[in-house]
Amino acid sequence: MSITVLYAGAEASTPDALAAATGVPVVTGPRALAPYLEQARHQEEPLVVIPAGTDRDLTSVTQAAQALQWAQRSGTEVILGPSLVDATRAIAEMRRHLRAAKGKDAVLILAKTVDPFADAELLRRVRLARQFSEDLEVEVAFEGSWPTLEKARERLRLLGAHDVVEFRADLALGEDREDAGTAEPLFRASALATAVERAAHTAVHLARDHHDDGIAVGLLADHATGFAHSHGDEDHSPSHPRSHGHSYSHHH
């Protein structure tokens, strides 16, 4: 047995709706883990923390790992699981939405901004998802950054698109947002609930059978992001690993 909690960062900006959809508690910072750590100690069961994201918000993963490392030092059994959704699954879901939009004028993909590198990663994923939907005009917008939702909608209007489908590329759920408009969530609630179960199962399996609690990898998740790692033409060895490349993607 284990206790499972979702750790929400920028990609899960509607924690209450996510908790309702998955049936699993959602915390939004290290301090909020305290009651679940106490529960794990009292029940002598491991606490499994699953980053609630699509593997773009790597800083949030590292933050969760740091909190668990501290708890581990106090003797609590803790496990850091894989991100709830990996890139492959996120791209597949975007492709599903694009297929469903066939016959429409355009598609607008919306996400909460994370940071410039995570946002650029979303653009890469959109390009891959769109590979077989070249007949659709596709725009991407970010809440809290450029291009904004309003700018993206205006661009589509100027291009002559009147029948536009909007969907999200993060884990925000529309019913928890006043400004959600008509944007559909990336995943159905049932798919999110299943993803939690699989991620938790994978995390416990790796900890029990392979002695890998995920924390060491999580501590370095955001190591290779940021301008410091945009080396350009510098004479810098590329050999340092992207630690989050230790993929758990098989759980999907």
Side-chain angles (χ1 to χ4, degrees):
M1 296 291 291
S2 61
I3 300 164
T4 301
V5 173
L6 289 172
Y7 191 94
E11 286 200 276
S13 57
T14 58
D16 291 342
L18 183 60
T22 61
V24 174
V26 180
V27 301
T28 57
R31 291 186 180 182
L33 285 171
Y36 302 102
L37 290 168
E38 180 61 30
Q39 181 184 353
R41 283 191 290 267
H42 179 71
Q43 297 181 6
E44 296 184 343
E45 295 178 355
L47 175 65
V48 180
V49 175
I50 307 296
T54 70
D55 236 3
R56 289 197 303 120
D57 185 7
L58 300 177
T59 299
S60 180
V61 175
T62 295
Q63 184 185 55
Q66 291 169 339
L68 294 186
Q69 184 184 49
W70 175 85
Q72 196 175 52
R73 290 169 180 162
S74 68
T76 307
E77 185 178 2
V78 289
I79 303 169
L80 180 64
S83 291
L84 187 57
V85 177
D86 63 11
T88 300
R89 183 71 188 278
I91 291 169
E93 286 299 304
M94 286 192 284
R95 188 170 291 150
R96 176 178 68 82
H97 282 280
L98 290 173
R99 285 198 303 267
K102 188 173 182 179
K104 304 293 185 180
D105 292 338
V107 171
L108 177 56
I109 300 173
L110 177 63
K112 183 83 170 181
T113 187
V114 177
D115 60 53
F117 301 91
D119 293 352
E121 166 62 14
L122 177 57
L123 297 179
R124 183 189 74 86
R125 296 180 185 183
V126 170
R127 172 63 183 85
L128 293 173
R130 190 185 176 186
Q131 179 63 31
F132 302 106
S133 303
E134 293 88 348
D135 56 329
L136 274 175
E137 188 67 40
V138 178
E139 283 288 321
V140 179
F142 293 98
E143 293 174 341
S145 185
W146 171 90
T148 65
L149 179 59
E150 293 74 18
K151 289 287 187 183
R153 284 173 173 166
E154 176 64 11
R155 174 174 166 75
L156 289 175
R157 187 188 67 79
L158 292 173
L159 289 173
H162 300 289
D163 193 2
V164 180
V165 174
E166 297 182 2
F167 69 86
R168 301 198 65 91
D170 55 17
L171 300 186
L173 301 177
E175 57 266 30
D176 219 26
R177 307 188 63 85
E178 294 180 358
D179 60 345
T182 58
E184 291 292 323
L186 181 61
F187 285 92
R188 302 180 180 95
S190 59
L192 288 173
T194 299
V196 173
E197 293 176 4
R198 291 178 176 174
H201 180 270
T202 296
V204 172
H205 163 68
L206 289 172
R208 292 282 188 265
D209 299 339
H210 301 279
H211 309 290
D212 180 3
D213 60 18
I215 294 175
V217 171
L219 288 170
L220 296 175
D222 65 351
H223 171 69
T225 62
F227 287 105
H229 289 267
S230 300
H231 303 305
D233 294 329
E234 295 177 25
D235 183 14
H236 188 294
S237 170
S239 61
H240 63 282
R242 292 179 66 93
S243 59
H244 56 279
H246 181 149
S247 173
Y248 298 87
S249 61
H250 61 277
H251 79 269
H252 294 298

